[in-house]
Amino acid sequence: MLIPSIDLMGGTIVQLVQGEQKALEFDNLDYWIERFSKYPIVQLIDLDAARGAGDNRSLVKLIVGQLNARLAVAFATLKPHRNF
């Protein structure tokens, strides 16, 4: 089973090449939320949190509140995120 993923960085949705260089960057969240709404499971990854360079917590909350799917929200921290 393939699980689609939304990667967040710097307040936008991104696609990285080799995990480093931005290949694509989008700030139209409504378009992507609608596009991913057809999937029953979506993985949401906060790349800033994973890199220890801040977080996109408000963006995660916005997407979680609008996307009607089971979500796997990934953070790179040992602290629990219970507010989602």
Side-chain angles (χ1 to χ4, degrees), residues 19-65:
E20 294 295 325
Q21 184 179 8
K22 286 184 191 175
L24 301 171
E25 183 173 10
F26 305 96
D27 59 6
N28 185 349
L29 299 178
D30 293 333
Y31 169 79
W32 289 100
I33 290 169
E34 182 179 332
R35 185 168 178 182
F36 278 77
S37 67
K38 64 183 175 182
Y39 299 105
I41 300 172
V42 175
Q43 182 170 296
L44 186 56
I45 301 173
D46 185 338
L47 294 171
D48 290 332
R51 293 170 173 222
D55 64 57
N56 292 282
R57 183 179 299 263
S58 61
L59 195 56
V60 169
K61 285 182 179 182
L62 176 74
I63 294 170
V64 167

